[in-house]
Amino acid sequence: MNKATIIFGAVATLGVFAAGAFEVEQVMRAPRYTRGDTNIRKVQAIDHADWIWFPGCATDTPFVGKPRTFRFRRAFTSDGSPLTFDVSADERYVLVLDGKVVGRGPDRAATVENWMYNSYRVKGLAAGPHVLEAVCWTHWGQAPLAQITYRGGFVLKAEGVYDAALSTRNTAGKEQGIDIVVADELGKSKKVLSSGWEVGEIVKGWKLYNGGPSVWGCGLTLDLTGCGFLEMQPEKWAKAEVVAHGAGATPKYIWGGRNWGWMLFPTQLPAQLDRRITPGRFVAGMDKVSTEADLYAQEGTRHPAVARLNALLKDGKKWTVPANAEVSACWQLGDYYGAYPHLVVSGGKGAVVRWGWAESLYTKEGEKNVRSQFVGKRFIGTFDTFRMDGRPRATFNVQWWRCGCWCELKIKTADEPLTFEEIAIDETRYPLEPECSFACDDQSFGPIQKICTRVMQSCSHEMLFDGPFYEQQMYPGDTRVQLLSLSALSRDDRMIRRAIEVFDFGQRDDGQVPFNAPTQGTQEGATYTQCWLLMHGDYAMYHDNFDWLKARLPAMRKALSGFELYENGAGLLAALPGWNFMDWDKNWTAGTAPGAYAGEGPSSLVNLFYVLDLQSAAKAERACGNETMARAWESKIPALKKAILDAFWDESTGMLLDVPAETKDGKTLKTRSEHAQVLGIVSGVLEGDRAKRAFDAMLAVKDDPKFARCTVYFSHYLFQACFLMNRADCVMKRLDLWRTYVDQGCATTIEHPEWKGHVSRSDCHAWGSHPLYWMQAGFAGVTPAKPAFAEVRVAPQPAGLKFIRAKVPHPKGFVEEDLAFDGGVANGVVTLPEGVAGTFAFGGKTLALKPGKNEIK
């Protein structure tokens, strides 16, 4: 893991882009955990630069106008010294130095008041002339919901000798003889110029289409003519206008006035992975431009295009498609990828190539079935369109990455042959690589780990995603599970912190956080605020940046205080606002449990989560040294537990009901679910004999179609309850769902179980990644016993496994376990990080563990 101790003004190298004769490093600026004086005074170097944009757009606002792409450029002379600069844009930028792509960004913002900037250092820059360009675009009202905007803008602040030449108007501009006239704060433009930056709009050659619902990250596709958008040039250039002051105008500093608009914060995330690869193989073709009704046949595997495209893909051998021809080819990537398409072609004026992406292929009946099969299936996906104007080596690329396990090329030539010279994908994602390991004698565990790891990688980018093909947003229920999976995979906690704080920055007046974030619109659901609250306690136990955690406590406290507004006379939560999603059970409308619909209640599930939230808050407070606050939250729990038992415990069935029993038409209605029993055990509301009765009763329900079952997501809580009841055998059985995914050829975990006529919408949904966590925390039994993992508890539950070898990430290194099990006896070694002690529990016995190697006999 790349992790550095950062002090004010210091930088740390975390990623390197390959860029010709020079290297570009990412620079990490010192973190700022609260807004403080941001936009009141200049608190960072980039505050000394102004935002610029295309002339005449000073009053542009979101959802006004059309999608636009601009190319900024600035020629400068280097003395050979390193070039370091900060940069941001609204909505996006791609930086190009001397024709080489050197950076993409900014990292997605939580809100306009938490707008990210990225920092770079160019080393090995030759003395002499150079050109720095920024291709910037704004999609306005057609952007995916996760892409927020304030208005179009670009800002760059260079250090040292490069300041005067490259900064987008620096504060010393007048002294340097640069003609600057600043616009007023209402955006009424005078003739305002930047310090030498030129800009041109790319008007011709591209169109943006919304190929799916506006929330889709992959639903926005491009229609390009002649070349890719990175190669397109404006027809004319103009001087860029200043559209917003550098933050913190001096007169306002005295009175605390805060400038409008973007409040800039340095990203704390490493650069996204950026590597060109040629994975998989082309598997089938047909002599036509396929439609969604055309099925790939077995004879298509012998189509000539298959061999020619594979030779191009693997060996770089050019392929020429004759004039007036049509061909389609299906490319099986071999795994799930998020990537930018890369295509280089020559000639072929009038030809059209459409490049599509899909998570899975479909049968004629609309089923997905075995994901790795393609014969008898059709391609339904999203397509970019590339139109040829006959130029040599035309390079095609797109603004935002695509994703899936399959690609399809639809090729139609006109009166000239078209030569394919290069085809590849540029993979992009958060640089998440597993530092953990888990091995056992059950061979099914390895493939499960593989798809769970890949789904986490595929859903980790500039933020976490529920799924990359559709919303590309974070939902707290999904995110809480994902953060535990991240803790199981790696010691890197940067994405974990970013995910939690993004919801913090969008908090509402009553303490609720967004149902999804970042987002242009507003969607709310109180149950997902409850899931967000659980993340604070998780972080406190597994990680150790308590300065950051302290900055999150005000929002956590506000949310809990806000929930008190929804307590009824019995102290139970009721009539919670929004879409109170719980799980995709077939019995529940829109995934909402009985009693949890807006305006209804009480629901046992909602109130059991409330207990968990109070417990989580106490952990976070205690970790930050706030014992009084921890006890205050804990003091509410006894009365809440009693109220839950009084309202929902049913002695006759030995189970918690979803809603209080009611009599209707002379019949007593008792609605039950796995979810209520699971949360009752996990929260400690059900203890001792009650917990055992509820657990056994839950397992005993066999043929009741109205009994709600935990699906992919909520199985996380089910697994936790099973391990708490020392029933790892039940988890072993429920892992059959993940074994089914493996058998179906899934590269990643899917959104929900499938049955005939009902396929999973998303084939890449990271809320199904939690077996990664439970292999370590459950089967290996490695969990934190104190905040910051300062003390370790190792309590394995092998469930018939003969051996377990595990390596579990820890803030100070790793907890390593190598144990053999035979006849209820454990033998082997447990190794703890330096300075960390703990306990080992197995077979009714407890042993003390010391730092370093511990023999278990």
Side-chain angles (χ1 to χ4, degrees):
M1 178 184 64
N2 291 313
K3 189 172 182 179
T5 300
I6 302 175
I7 59 174
F8 183 77
V11 296
T13 299
L14 290 175
V16 177
F17 296 90
F22 50 81
E23 286 187 346
V24 181
E25 303 171 340
Q26 184 187 14
V27 172
M28 300 303 291
R29 300 297 189 188
R32 297 203 323 280
Y33 298 141
T34 61
R35 64 181 186 172
D37 277 342
T38 307
N39 281 21
I40 294 177
R41 60 184 182 88
K42 300 183 187 302
V43 298
Q44 56 202 339
I46 198 170
D47 292 344
H48 293 271
D50 284 344
W51 289 78
I52 62 174
W53 202 237
F54 190 73
C57 297
T59 57
D60 277 0
T61 56
F63 310 110
V64 175
K66 61 182 181 180
R68 304 178 77 170
T69 298
F70 300 99
R71 195 176 193 102
F72 292 83
R73 72 180 181 187
R74 180 71 171 109
F76 68 100
T77 300
S78 171
D79 62 357
S81 63
L83 162 63
T84 303
F85 60 92
D86 305 320
V87 62
S88 190
D90 185 343
E91 297 172 11
R92 307 284 305 178
Y93 70 74
V94 177
L95 291 178
V96 181
L97 178 57
D98 296 341
K100 304 288 186 179
V101 173
V102 297
R104 301 177 189 266
D107 287 350
R108 269 187 172 165
T111 66
V112 173
E113 293 189 348
N114 183 256
W115 200 270
M116 296 292 100
Y117 70 88
N118 298 63
S119 304
Y120 305 92
R121 177 180 293 119
V122 184
K123 297 195 301 185
L125 195 61
H130 299 273
V131 176
L132 180 62
E133 298 176 284
V135 182
C136 300
W137 69 91
T138 175
H139 289 160
W140 304 108
Q142 292 190 44
L145 286 180
Q147 183 62 58
I148 61 175
T149 182
Y150 173 61
R151 51 143 299 127
F154 173 68
V155 62
L156 186 145
K157 178 66 172 69
E159 290 184 1
V161 297
Y162 298 102
D163 184 20
L166 290 177
S167 296
T168 51
R169 181 193 175 266
N170 54 70
T171 53
K174 280 292 186 182
E175 287 73 15
Q176 294 164 359
I178 300 168
D179 184 18
I180 299 169
V181 182
V182 180
D184 64 30
E185 289 184 358
L186 295 178
K188 295 179 179 178
S189 177
K190 305 172 186 177
K191 276 290 183 180
V192 185
L193 304 181
S194 73
S195 56
W197 279 86
E198 293 181 299
V199 61
E201 183 172 8
I202 299 172
V203 178
K204 297 180 179 179
W206 75 284
K207 295 178 182 178
L208 182 73
Y209 291 101
N210 189 341
S214 62
V215 297
W216 286 20
C218 286
L220 294 174
T221 58
L222 285 173
D223 188 321
L224 302 171
T225 299
C227 61
F229 89 103
L230 283 177
E231 287 68 38
M232 291 181 174
Q233 296 290 331
E235 292 184 346
K236 59 183 179 180
W237 295 86
K239 292 291 185 181
E241 286 188 357
V242 172
V243 295
H245 291 299
T250 301
K252 288 190 172 185
Y253 171 59
I254 301 172
W255 311 110
R258 197 182 297 270
N259 278 12
W260 298 343
W262 306 282
M263 294 172 62
L264 288 168
F265 288 80
T267 184
Q268 297 302 302
L269 299 182
Q272 300 291 294
L273 187 69
D274 186 3
R275 61 184 176 194
R276 183 156 296 167
I277 56 175
T278 54
R281 62 191 179 95
F282 284 86
V283 293
M286 63 178 72
D287 284 322
K288 62 179 297 187
V289 173
S290 69
T291 69
E292 291 186 356
D294 291 316
L295 305 178
Y296 279 97
Q298 182 64 42
E299 54 265 31
T301 62
R302 299 182 292 273
H303 192 283
V306 173
R308 298 302 302 271
L309 280 166
N310 282 328
L312 171 69
L313 183 70
K314 299 302 182 182
D315 303 321
K317 294 182 179 180
K318 298 179 183 179
W319 174 45
T320 299
V321 181
N324 301 307
E326 290 188 14
V327 63
S328 296
C330 186
W331 180 3
Q332 185 176 24
L333 297 177
D335 209 336
Y336 199 104
Y337 289 97
Y340 296 90
H342 170 77
L343 179 66
V344 179
V345 295
S346 291
K349 184 176 182 179
V352 177
V353 176
R354 300 191 69 213
W355 185 328
W357 292 76
E359 292 189 317
S360 181
L361 306 184
Y362 292 82
T363 66
K364 182 179 180 180
E365 295 76 24
E367 303 287 342
K368 294 182 179 180
N369 298 335
V370 178
R371 268 48 174 193
S372 55
Q373 294 179 351
F374 57 90
V375 173
K377 288 187 173 182
R378 53 198 173 124
F379 192 102
I380 301 175
T382 58
F383 285 83
D384 293 297
T385 302
F386 304 145
R387 302 179 187 276
M388 315 307 161
D389 62 4
R391 74 182 71 182
R393 288 195 61 80
T395 300
F396 286 89
N397 42 55
V398 297
Q399 293 176 338
W400 189 242
W401 52 267
R402 312 306 188 210
C403 61
C405 292
W406 298 86
C407 288
E408 185 181 48
L409 295 183
K410 299 181 180 183
I411 305 164
K412 184 176 183 178
T413 58
D415 295 335
E416 295 181 5
L418 175 66
T419 299
F420 284 73
E421 302 198 19
E422 296 178 20
I423 187 169
I425 60 175
D426 295 334
E427 184 183 8
T428 183
R429 58 175 171 82
Y430 188 85
L432 172 64
E433 302 299 337
E435 297 180 293
C436 67
S437 63
F438 182 94
C440 66
D441 51 295
D442 187 327
Q443 299 303 306
S444 69
F445 275 50
I448 292 173
Q449 289 181 80
K450 183 178 184 295
I451 65 171
C452 290
T453 298
R454 193 57 180 174
V455 77
M456 282 304 305
Q457 291 175 324
S458 299
C459 292
S460 301
H461 290 264
E462 295 169 2
M463 48 180 271
L464 293 177
F465 297 149
D466 63 325
F469 198 85
Y470 294 96
E471 292 86 359
Q472 294 187 358
Q473 291 182 302
M474 293 191 301
Y475 293 76
D478 310 51
T479 303
R480 195 256 170 150
V481 172
Q482 289 174 271
L483 299 193
L484 289 172
S485 295
L486 285 176
S487 296
L489 279 167
S490 170
R491 293 170 294 161
D492 181 1
D493 71 341
R494 291 169 291 183
M495 180 62 81
I496 295 173
R497 286 187 276 122
R498 182 59 180 161
I500 297 172
E501 70 185 19
V502 164
F503 292 105
D504 180 337
F505 299 139
Q507 193 171 40
R508 321 298 192 202
D509 64 307
D510 63 352
Q512 298 293 304
V513 298
F515 188 85
N516 52 352
T519 183
Q520 299 171 18
T522 302
Q523 187 176 15
E524 298 186 5
T527 52
Y528 267 17
T529 295
Q530 292 184 308
C531 293
W532 171 73
L533 285 166
L534 297 180
M535 303 176 202
H536 298 78
D538 294 340
Y539 185 89
M541 298 304 292
Y542 277 94
H543 303 284
D544 59 0
N545 190 332
F546 292 151
D547 288 339
W548 171 85
L549 184 58
K550 287 177 182 177
R552 307 279 72 80
L553 294 183
M556 182 195 78
R557 294 166 181 162
K558 181 178 179 181
L560 282 169
S561 296
F563 271 119
E564 292 179 344
L565 302 174
Y566 297 100
E567 291 179 2
N568 64 15
L572 295 171
L573 295 180
L576 293 177
W579 178 20
N580 292 306
F581 178 85
M582 198 64 65
D583 193 10
W584 285 124
D585 180 82
K586 290 185 284 186
N587 293 287
W588 295 348
T589 302
T592 304
Y597 298 102
E600 295 184 0
S603 155
S604 65
L605 281 68
V606 165
N607 283 281
L608 291 165
F609 263 119
Y610 195 19
V611 175
L612 290 169
D613 289 336
L614 294 166
Q615 294 168 343
S616 175
K619 293 175 185 176
E621 297 280 11
R622 193 164 280 123
C624 293
N626 303 324
E627 183 63 28
T628 301
M629 287 300 301
R631 292 180 179 178
W633 298 125
E634 289 174 334
S635 69
K636 291 176 63 68
I637 295 175
L640 179 57
K641 285 184 174 182
K642 182 178 183 303
I644 292 172
L645 291 172
D646 289 346
F648 303 106
W649 177 255
D650 180 50
E651 184 63 27
S652 65
T653 59
M655 302 176 84
L656 285 170
L657 304 180
D658 294 343
V659 293
E662 61 176 327
T663 301
K664 188 174 183 180
D665 299 329
K667 296 182 179 180
T668 301
L669 303 179
K670 298 180 179 181
T671 307
R672 303 168 302 156
S673 65
E674 285 186 336
H675 306 72
Q677 318 320 311
V678 163
L679 292 178
I681 293 167
V682 170
S683 65
V685 170
L686 297 181
E687 299 177 290
D689 180 64
R690 269 199 178 121
K692 186 178 187 307
R693 287 180 64 194
F695 189 82
D696 291 345
M698 176 183 74
L699 296 182
V701 178
K702 301 297 183 184
D703 300 316
D704 184 353
K706 295 183 178 180
F707 186 72
R709 304 282 185 179
C710 299
T711 69
V712 184
Y713 154 58
F714 221 87
S715 291
H716 167 77
Y717 299 97
L718 173 65
F719 289 1
Q720 184 177 5
C722 291
F723 284 116
L724 286 171
M725 298 302 294
N726 293 308
R727 292 296 305 273
D729 59 303
C730 297
V731 179
M732 191 71 77
K733 176 62 177 174
R734 293 294 281 259
L735 282 174
D736 282 349
L737 179 60
W738 282 260
R739 295 183 182 99
T740 299
Y741 296 158
V742 173
D743 292 341
Q744 289 180 334
C746 295
T748 51
T749 57
I750 66 178
E751 186 172 6
H752 54 73
E754 297 180 314
W755 55 91
K756 188 172 179 59
H758 188 84
V759 300
S760 176
R761 181 196 64 144
S762 167
D763 266 15
C764 186
H765 230 69
W767 67 8
S769 65
H770 54 79
L772 285 172
Y773 174 77
W774 290 115
M775 287 179 191
Q776 296 180 8
F779 290 107
V782 179
T783 56
K786 289 184 178 180
F789 229 145
E791 185 175 302
V792 178
R793 174 177 168 81
V794 182
Q797 295 190 43
L801 296 175
K802 295 178 180 178
F803 73 87
I804 292 176
R805 289 193 291 270
K807 182 180 179 183
V808 180
H810 185 283
K812 294 186 177 181
F814 298 94
V815 177
E816 297 185 65
E817 175 183 309
D818 187 352
L819 297 172
F821 305 94
D822 185 19
V825 176
N827 289 281
V829 176
V830 173
T831 305
L832 302 186
E834 183 178 352
V836 179
T839 57
F840 179 84
F842 186 78
K845 298 181 180 180
T846 301
L847 304 174
L849 298 175
K850 65 181 186 302
K853 186 176 180 179
N854 296 265
E855 296 283 345
I856 306 297
K857 297 183 179 180

